[in-house]
Amino acid sequence: RLEVKNMENASMYEVLQLAINLEEEGTKFYEKWASKAKGNVKEMLKKLAMDETKHATYFKGLFDGLKDKPEVDYLFEEDVTAYFKTYANSAAFNREQVKLNSIKEAVEEGIQTEKNSIEYYEFLLKHSKESTKAMLDKIIKEEQGHLVILEKLLPEV
């Protein structure tokens, strides 16, 4: 679990932008590896890519809804922004692409990425206002489902 160390404020735009980026990167990642896989593994990776696209669309909707609002703190509590800064800069979320050489390595990387996403969204859920809780809860459950799918795929690759 990451500690909140940096009390600089990130804007809600940045918090949501990271969520959008997580999902968009997930889509690209799963599409890329689905194109290299076969059979059930290919189908499962394609499904994960579609789910990530849906999540990105949700976060983009929230983001777009903020464009005309000067005060956006109604989505999350204050300490979310400090956590965001720590999370975005942490080793757990290293944005440099890892060189992967096999479908097995890709599935293992997917498992770690899903764990990181779940951690981020659980923190947001814990500190979100009521209006965002239901959708975040749904996305967390879907990401947990992705984790289960990937863990089951691991012996197949």
Side-chain angles (χ1 to χ4, degrees), residues 64-80:
D64 290 343
L66 300 179
K67 280 184 183 164
D68 300 323
K69 295 184 172 48
E71 184 56 55
V72 295
D73 290 339
Y74 71 92
L75 285 178
F76 303 106
E77 296 170 1
E78 261 175 53
D79 53 351
V80 168

Side-chain angles (χ1 to χ4, degrees), residues 129-153:
K129 304 292 171 97
E130 282 308 311
S131 60
T132 54
K133 283 187 190 238
M135 185 51 79
L136 277 171
D137 194 48
K138 179 178 184 239
I139 289 172
I140 289 166
K141 284 181 175 51
E142 288 182 16
E143 299 289 9
Q144 289 167 335
H146 293 178
L147 191 55
V148 169
I149 288 168
L150 289 167
E151 287 171 342
K152 285 182 181 171
L153 279 182

Side-chain angles (χ1 to χ4, degrees), residues 47-64:
K47 179 204 177 306
L48 295 176
M50 286 190 302
D51 288 350
E52 300 291 293
T53 298
K54 282 188 253 174
H55 299 168
T57 300
Y58 167 70
F59 288 121
K60 284 178 186 171
L62 280 181
F63 187 86
D64 290 343

Side-chain angles (χ1 to χ4, degrees), residues 7-26:
M7 294 310 287
E8 281 179 52
N9 278 341
S11 73
M12 289 304 118
Y13 294 101
E14 291 173 306
V15 172
L16 290 171
Q17 192 60 58
L18 177 58
I20 292 165
N21 289 345
L22 282 170
E23 300 303 327
E24 287 178 342
E25 285 176 10

